[in-house]
């Protein structure tokens, strides 16, 4: 089960939304989240939660406390960007990539079980007030293993992607069907497929 194993979540999106509290791109409320706005500015970041801890990666923190956003993590320029979150339980690390740039790696130690039910694209839960706005998502990929830095680059630069360990693939071609062959179809809600 992904909740206790390594995993990778990768999504391709573009946005011009710089609203302070907007930006939930993918996830659920207390399990895993990908976001493109930190609340202090347009910095992409990821979070993985277990029952006791939240591990943030790529999250600069408040500017009034001296935090500075990594310019490679700013993705609200209206261009297509990949955001990739890699949890590697063997090394006890969580890494965040924007496109093929490693933004940050943090230690997660003995991370417990991660809640992965009820995942939502464009928010972290149905009716999320912090959901994505002015944002287009082209695809979402979920793997049951940690991708290496070389594989992240390959995924970003390839049209075909990587299939080894792929457990769900949503090309979002007018629906939320899983094209991985694993039958994990989603349900569109409040979206305009193109």
């Amino acid at each position: 089960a992904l909740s206790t194993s390594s995993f990778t979540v990768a999504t391709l999106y573009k946005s011009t939304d710089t609203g302070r509290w907007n930006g939930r791109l993918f996830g659920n409320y207390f399990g895993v989240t990908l976001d493109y706005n930190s609340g202090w500015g347009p910095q992409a970041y990821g979070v993985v939660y277990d029952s006791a801890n939240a591990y943030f990666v790529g999250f600069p923190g408040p500017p009034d406390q001296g935090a500075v956003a990594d310019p490679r993590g700013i993705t609200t320029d209206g261009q297509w960007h990949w955001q990739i979150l890699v949890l590697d339980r063997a090394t006890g690390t969580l890494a965040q990539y924007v496109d093929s740039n490693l933004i940050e790696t943090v230690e997660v130690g003995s991370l417990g079980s991660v809640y992965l039910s009820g995942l939502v694209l464009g928010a972290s839960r149905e009716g999320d007030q912090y959901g994505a706005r002015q944002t287009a998502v082209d695809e979402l990929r979920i793997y049951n293993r940690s991708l290496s830095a070389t594989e992240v680059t390959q995924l970003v630069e390839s049209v075909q992607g990587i299939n080894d360990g792929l457990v769900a693939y949503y090309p979002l071609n007018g629906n939320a069907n899983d094209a991985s062959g694993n039958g994990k179809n989603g349900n569109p809600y409040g979206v305009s497929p193109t």
Side-chain angles (χ1 to χ4, degrees), residues 39 68 90 94 131 175:
V68 178
L94 177 66
N175 59 48

Side-chain angles (χ1 to χ4, degrees), residues 86-150:
V86 179
L87 174 64
D88 187 337
R89 288 193 183 261
T91 62
T93 57
L94 177 66
Q96 183 218 17
Y97 294 83
V98 171
D99 301 321
S100 57
N101 299 304
L102 175 62
I103 303 300
E104 185 179 23
T105 301
V106 297
E107 292 185 14
V108 295
S110 57
L111 176 71
S113 180
V114 176
Y115 178 70
L116 292 173
S117 295
L119 295 170
V120 178
L121 184 60
S124 61
R125 63 180 177 241
E126 189 175 307
D128 187 355
Q129 64 187 10
Y130 307 117
R133 316 271 191 289
Q134 303 161 346
T135 302
V137 180
D138 187 56
E139 67 179 67
L140 170 68
R141 293 173 170 265
I142 303 173
Y143 296 87
N144 64 1
R145 65 185 186 88
S146 57
L147 296 184
S148 69
T150 300

Side-chain angles (χ1 to χ4, degrees), residues 58-75:
F59 188 78
D64 62 351
Q65 294 179 14
V68 178
D70 185 326
R72 300 170 306 160
I74 297 174
T75 61

Side-chain angles (χ1 to χ4, degrees), residues 142-160:
I142 303 173
Y143 296 87
N144 64 1
R145 65 185 186 88
S146 57
L147 296 184
S148 69
T150 300
E151 290 173 313
V152 166
T153 299
Q154 179 184 345
L155 176 64
V156 168
E157 295 177 357
S158 170
V159 175
Q160 305 258 337

Side-chain angles (χ1 to χ4, degrees), residues 8-126:
T8 300
V9 176
T11 187
L12 179 63
Y13 66 99
K14 67 178 176 178
S15 181
T16 57
D17 177 15
T18 58
R20 178 176 175 152
W21 297 109
N22 299 343
R24 292 284 154 75
L25 187 61
F26 169 77
N28 56 21
Y29 197 57
F30 283 109
V32 62
T33 300
L34 291 179
D35 206 323
Y36 59 77
N37 267 347
S38 68
W40 290 288
Q43 170 77 40
Y45 71 96
V47 188
V48 171
Y49 306 86
D50 64 13
S51 62
N53 301 291
Y55 297 94
F56 289 79
V57 62
F59 188 78
D64 62 351
Q65 294 179 14
V68 178
D70 185 326
R72 300 170 306 160
I74 297 174
T75 61
T76 54
D77 57 6
Q79 303 297 311
W80 289 103
H81 293 281
W82 281 96
Q83 187 175 169
I84 302 168
L85 190 65
V86 179
L87 174 64
D88 187 337
R89 288 193 183 261
T91 62
T93 57
L94 177 66
Q96 183 218 17
Y97 294 83
V98 171
D99 301 321
S100 57
N101 299 304
L102 175 62
I103 303 300
E104 185 179 23
T105 301
V106 297
E107 292 185 14
V108 295
S110 57
L111 176 71
S113 180
V114 176
Y115 178 70
L116 292 173
S117 295
L119 295 170
V120 178
L121 184 60
S124 61
R125 63 180 177 241
E126 189 175 307

